[in-house]
Amino acid sequence: MITLPFGATIILDERIAASGSLTVNALQANYTSGTTNTNVVVASAHSDIDCLTLSPTPANVTVAGRVKTAGGQGILRVVFPSSMETAASARR
């Protein structure tokens, strides 16, 4: 914060964090004269994030067609995530 001699303040790169949000003000100037307060914000950005509290659960997925392993072998049928043994037996 920069305080100017005539009662004004300037704040550079002000960051206001709250639960799940962030506001950044590049420049904020505040001037008070008597009972009048003037506040000017130049270049402000706000961002929110809403994270789920529940974990997503995977579902069974069938993949078919010309799917190949990293070694170039074709995979005929793979079922995820029930068992990795299913994937291994599909390659045999």
Side-chain angles (χ1 to χ4, degrees):
M1 179 185 314
I2 301 167
T3 303
L4 300 176
F6 52 90
T9 58
I10 296 176
I11 301 171
L12 301 173
D13 195 26
E14 177 185 32
R15 296 174 188 211
I16 304 165
S19 178
S21 71
L22 175 66
T23 301
V24 177
N25 296 324
L27 183 137
Q28 179 177 3
N30 192 349
Y31 176 70
T32 303
S33 176
T35 59
T36 304
N37 184 29
T38 304
N39 188 22
V40 178
V41 175
V42 178
S44 181
H46 180 81
S47 176
D48 290 313
I49 184 169
D50 185 13
C51 296
L52 297 174
T53 57
L54 302 174
S55 301
T57 54
N60 289 335
V61 176
T62 302
V63 178
R66 296 182 182 257
V67 179
K68 296 184 179 182
T69 66
Q73 296 176 327
I75 299 174
L76 300 177
R77 182 172 180 264
V78 179
V79 178
F80 292 105
S82 63
S83 170
M84 291 311 289
E85 182 58 34
T86 304
S89 64
R91 284 188 239 138
R92 292 184 189 143

